[in-house]
């Protein structure tokens, strides 16, 4: 007998559903960021002033190239170390507490959105986990209700579930020091940023690899 049949027959409510294919995201604020914020922001804006950047999902916005990771920075290195550590702790239960695998940084880049800047829908597959860290968001953390300007939105891969109350996308407001970790295959985009204050963030990819022998 199939698992669905067994579930139905053994449940007091024969119409009780099983939640299928949940997609987790992990948001947290990195403690210790505040005293580093001004310097990290200064370094990213200096890179933007000196490098043309590259075109990816960014629209009317700056996306750093290889210079971001090649640029020595104590503060950026601190942040990247922290997000990898957070990912290691958040995902441990899904990977047998890292008995045979480990989590590592596969890449990172800075994004600077001015007035009218946004990011088109995209995903980071075939990487495993991805994230964003917010360096500076101006006043958008206090957007009026219903105003998603500058917010990240995750696209529901099964919109036909809307009659069941699960059809909407998920919008998350940015704030300085916040990082959001999510599956790399999950489509997402950034709403147009309608303010003269810069929205500055760092995106990163994490990859699962076999544990290295020591």
């Amino acid at each position: 007998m199939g698992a669905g049949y067994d579930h139905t027959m053994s449940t007091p409510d024969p119409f009780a559903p099983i939640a299928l294919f949940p997609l987790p995201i992990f948001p947290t604020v990195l403690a210790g960021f505040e005293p580093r914020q001004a310097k990290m922001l200064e370094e990213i804006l200096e890179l933007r002033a000196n490098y043309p950047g590259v075109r990816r999902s960014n629209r009317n916005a700056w996306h750093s190239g290889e210079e971001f990771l090649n640029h020595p920075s104590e503060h950026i290195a601190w942040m990247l170390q922290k997000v990898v550590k957070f990912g290691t702790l958040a995902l441990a239960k899904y990977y047998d507490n890292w008995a045979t695998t480990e989590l590592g940084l596969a890449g990172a880049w800075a994004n600077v959105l001015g007035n009218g800047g946004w990011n088109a829908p995209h995903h980071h597959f075939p990487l495993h986990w991805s994230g964003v860290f917010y360096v500076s968001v101006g006043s958008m953390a206090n957007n009026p209700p219903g105003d998603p300007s500058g917010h990240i939105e995750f696209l529901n891969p099964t919109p036909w579930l809307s009659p069941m109350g699960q059809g909407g996308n998920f919008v998350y407001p940015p704030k300085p020091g916040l990082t959001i970790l999510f599956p790399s295959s999950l489509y997402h985009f950034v709403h147009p940023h309608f303010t003269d204050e810069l929205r500055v963030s760092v995106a990163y990819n994490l990859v699962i690899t076999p544990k290295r022998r020591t």
Side-chain angles (χ1 to χ4, degrees):
M1 294 182 182
Y5 179 82
D6 289 342
H7 166 77
T8 302
M9 294 300 292
S10 62
T11 303
D13 179 0
F15 302 107
I18 297 173
L20 190 62
F21 305 136
L23 294 174
I25 69 169
F26 303 88
T28 193
V29 173
L30 298 186
F33 168 65
E34 188 172 348
R36 298 175 180 270
Q37 181 183 20
K39 188 62 177 176
M40 190 182 300
L41 177 61
E42 177 185 327
E43 291 173 345
I44 291 174
L45 295 183
E46 183 178 352
L47 289 175
R48 185 184 67 153
N50 292 311
Y51 295 91
V54 297
R55 175 71 178 268
R56 296 292 185 267
S57 68
N58 50 308
R59 303 292 183 267
N60 299 321
W62 182 78
H63 179 305
S64 69
E66 295 181 359
E67 73 279 355
F68 180 72
L69 288 179
N70 293 335
H71 179 70
S73 167
E74 168 195 348
H75 307 287
I76 291 172
W78 172 87
M79 181 270 297
L80 293 175
Q81 182 182 39
K82 286 286 187 179
V83 298
V84 173
K85 179 64 174 178
F86 172 66
T88 300
L89 294 173
L91 300 173
K93 66 180 180 180
Y94 302 102
Y95 295 94
D96 194 24
N97 288 315
W98 307 109
T100 59
T101 56
E102 58 187 3
L103 187 69
L105 184 71
W109 58 96
N111 297 285
V112 180
L113 277 63
N115 200 335
W118 62 292
N119 286 81
H122 65 286
H123 60 73
H124 298 199
F125 186 81
L127 280 305
H128 301 138
W129 292 89
S130 299
V132 58
F133 175 81
Y134 296 102
V135 180
S136 180
V137 301
S139 61
M140 80 177 68
N142 301 316
N143 283 4
D147 178 7
S149 172
H151 290 20
I152 188 170
E153 181 162 342
F154 297 96
L155 303 180
N156 191 330
T158 54
W160 62 271
L161 285 174
S162 56
M164 302 179 183
Q166 302 179 40
N169 297 332
F170 185 74
V171 181
Y172 210 104
K175 63 182 293 185
L178 171 71
T179 188
I180 306 174
L181 180 67
F182 54 89
S184 297
S185 58
L186 184 58
Y187 269 95
H188 55 285
F189 71 97
V190 176
H191 284 265
H193 172 61
F194 292 125
T195 173
D196 290 331
E197 298 170 308
L198 295 178
R199 179 192 187 277
V200 181
S201 63
V202 174
Y204 55 89
N205 288 321
L206 305 179
V207 64
I208 311 295
T209 58
K211 181 168 286 187
R212 291 169 290 183
R213 295 182 179 180
T214 56

